[in-house]
Amino acid sequence: MFFAHSFTTNNPFVDFAMFRDRNYAGAVTFMFVVGVILYSTLALSTPFIQGIMGYPIVAAGVLLATRGVGTLVGMIAVGRLMKILEARTLIFIGTGLIAFSLYQMTGFTEQTSAHTVTLMGIIQGFGLGLVFVPLSAVAFITLPGHLRTNGTAMLTLLRNIGSSIGISVVTAMLISKSAMFHSQLVESITPFNDALKAPDVVAHLDAGSSGGLATLNEMVTQQASIMAYANDYKMLFCVCVAMMPLVFLLGSTRKAAAGAQAVHALD
């Protein structure tokens, strides 16, 4: 009904003419994917730090806050950097930093240090800061003035839709992959596995007792969860890398600004 109304009325609720602007269309696509990565990573990091690494709630919050610090620094720095570099260059660099942090996060385990988590959070946040501001500049620099109100609403809407889709997908994958990896790992836990019969293993883990089996199941469940988290981070990394070539579809903000100044001068 929404699309039927939008394409058949003279005054649609959303004017799709704004998507004819290449810069705006590219920026909206980017913002959608940023929404997927931004909130999905946060949704994964919180239970990982608490459930896998064993940090209390307050400590987990402090570790996650480092990403916000990185974003703050990135947004402050990007104002000066845009005087030197083009917006699309900053977007490309920021996306690369996000991809790098996600790649490093695929190796997170229960033994990962807080220093590593903090460093990756700052790098990822700084990358997000380099993306947000230039992306807004690219989106509206060539968009006609009468479309900018709708354009702002649509940009925010698609970011929120992206975050909702991203959280749903990574959560569903986390649950399904955890079960799959758990079933794969327990295939090796049999009475015929000589590793479980080794004296140093039996001294700490007796698979023949109910307590030993419970401990063994807890260990397998933890390792299966770590593998599932790594799988989710890898998926987000691939999405981020696949998004990077879209930067070249964006126009030059400097040329667009020069063109706008020329038009104002003629007026």
Side-chain angles (χ1 to χ4, degrees), residues 232-250:
D232 272 0
Y233 287 133
K234 184 177 180 180
M235 185 269 292
L236 293 175
F237 164 75
C238 293
V239 171
C240 195
V241 171
M243 181 179 66
M244 292 179 70
L246 295 178
V247 173
F248 301 103
L249 297 179
L250 303 175

Side-chain angles (χ1 to χ4, degrees), residues 59-82:
V62 172
L63 287 178
L64 292 173
T66 57
R67 191 171 75 157
V69 174
T71 303
L72 176 63
V73 174
M75 287 185 170
I76 294 174
V78 77
R80 295 187 177 183
L81 290 174
M82 286 186 70

Side-chain angles (χ1 to χ4, degrees), residues 23-163:
N23 286 336
Y24 180 79
V28 164
T29 305
F30 244 89
M31 187 61 76
F32 176 83
V33 181
V34 167
V36 172
I37 296 172
L38 174 64
Y39 294 100
S40 298
T41 308
L42 191 62
L44 290 173
S45 298
T46 303
F48 184 89
I49 293 174
Q50 291 183 238
I52 303 299
M53 300 180 68
Y55 282 88
I57 297 176
V58 176
V62 172
L63 287 178
L64 292 173
T66 57
R67 191 171 75 157
V69 174
T71 303
L72 176 63
V73 174
M75 287 185 170
I76 294 174
V78 77
R80 295 187 177 183
L81 290 174
M82 286 186 70
K83 299 177 181 178
I84 305 172
L85 301 173
E86 276 199 350
R88 55 186 176 182
T89 304
L90 292 173
I91 294 173
F92 186 83
I93 295 173
T95 308
L97 291 175
I98 297 171
F100 171 77
S101 65
L102 288 171
Y103 179 77
Q104 295 297 318
M105 292 170 76
T106 59
F108 278 11
T109 67
E110 77 280 6
Q111 298 180 356
T112 301
S113 65
H115 175 269
T116 302
V117 176
T118 300
L119 180 60
M120 289 304 107
I122 292 175
I123 291 175
Q124 188 175 105
F126 187 77
L128 288 168
L130 292 184
V131 170
F132 270 119
V133 177
L135 200 58
S136 299
V138 170
F140 299 108
I141 195 167
T142 56
L143 193 67
H146 67 282
L147 295 175
R148 290 183 178 178
T149 301
N150 284 337
T152 303
M154 185 58 64
L155 196 68
T156 304
L157 173 64
L158 289 178
R159 185 186 66 190
N160 292 336
I161 292 176
S163 65

